[in-house]
Amino acid sequence: SSAGLKPDFPRKSVLHRKAPLSNLWIFGRPMRVAAAFIAVSTASVLRGSSAANSTDVDMGGPPNCGDKYDKLPDFTSEYGATISDAVCTHPGYKQSCKVFDEALQCWFRFMVTDHCGDLPSEYKKRNKKLVEACADNEKDHLDLWKMFSKDEQAYWRNSFKAQAKESKLFDTMNKLVPKQLLCTTLHVIDDECVKHANVRVRPAR
């Protein structure tokens, strides 16, 4: 139900609004400046550097990114490198979305380390609709959320959402690019968490 969605996401993500990106302000900064700030802060937080706290915005502690790529199967890093290209497709904010590439890969590594909570792949059943919805600029994060099973929603709340309460980085990503975040999550689950070298964005036949 729509009532069940309210605690998980804003009704509209900042980047999905109709206003031109040049008119958006984030962290008290114009969008172009904020994007650069987020990129630096993301790298600093994920590397445990104090640089993230040297600004006037506290990004919080680093989220749990799971194992590093050298501890995961060889092709995992190849898959991670394809995520932002696969999900950041909206022509209006493609580059702004890619600012979160490292954060998306952090979430991806957590999922793989956690074996996606042993959730089963729904590739054959869901992939065609998932690929279409992720590429459709008229669809938003609430449309994607409806594609999650109850078990997947519970996993999301207990893993990502729980971390977002402590990590400003994850919380910010959830507010700015929630659709891309959810597309990533479902693709990783459906790609068998993962047994492929890239995100499978060609609809299953």
Side-chain angles (χ1 to χ4, degrees):
S1 68
S2 59
L5 299 173
K6 292 180 182 178
D8 296 290
F9 309 100
R11 295 303 300 175
K12 268 195 176 295
S13 69
V14 173
L15 297 184
H16 199 79
R17 292 171 181 164
K18 299 299 183 181
L21 286 181
S22 58
N23 293 347
L24 292 178
W25 283 65
I26 301 170
F27 296 141
R29 298 167 169 83
M31 182 60 200
R32 290 181 181 179
V33 177
F37 165 76
I38 292 170
V40 172
S41 297
T42 298
S44 299
V45 168
L46 296 182
R47 288 166 178 73
S49 167
S50 60
N53 295 323
S54 65
T55 68
D56 58 341
V57 177
D58 181 6
M59 293 299 284
N64 181 357
C65 297
D67 291 336
K68 294 183 178 180
Y69 279 127
D70 60 5
K71 301 289 186 182
L72 296 172
D74 291 342
F75 60 83
T76 308
S77 61
E78 297 177 31
Y79 186 102
T82 69
I83 290 175
S84 62
D85 281 337
V87 302
C88 296
T89 58
H90 192 294
Y93 52 83
K94 184 181 296 186
Q95 295 307 313
S96 299
C97 172
K98 288 187 176 183
V99 165
F100 290 98
D101 177 65
E102 286 193 66
L104 285 170
Q105 290 195 50
C106 169
W107 169 234
F108 161 65
R109 281 168 36 214
F110 173 88
M111 291 183 68
V112 175
T113 303
D114 190 46
H115 305 290
C116 293
D118 295 321
L119 290 165
S121 169
E122 299 291 344
Y123 180 82
K124 292 183 178 180
K125 176 182 177 181
R126 177 168 60 196
N127 181 257
K128 186 175 186 295
K129 291 182 179 180
L130 175 61
V131 170
E132 290 173 352
C134 290
D136 186 346
N137 296 333
E138 297 303 315
K139 300 287 186 183
D140 66 9
H141 54 292
L142 299 181
D143 295 304
L144 266 295
W145 185 243
K146 295 173 185 176
M147 300 178 71
F148 278 61
S149 68
K150 289 184 178 179
D151 286 343
E152 289 166 343
Q153 290 182 355
Y155 179 73
W156 167 267
R157 292 189 178 107
N158 293 332
S159 50
F160 183 90
K161 192 66 178 179
Q163 289 200 58
K165 292 179 180 179
E166 305 295 331
S167 169
K168 187 68 174 178
L169 174 60
F170 269 19
D171 182 57
T172 301
M173 179 163 64
N174 189 44
K175 289 176 179 175
L176 295 187
V177 289
K179 177 183 176 181
Q180 291 72 18
L181 189 53
L182 296 184
C183 287
T184 297
T185 303
L186 290 185
H187 273 303
V188 173
I189 292 171
D190 289 351
D191 288 340
E192 301 172 273
C193 201
V194 288
K195 295 181 179 178
H196 306 273
N198 56 272
V199 180
R200 293 187 288 178
V201 292
R202 292 185 178 180
R205 297 184 182 279

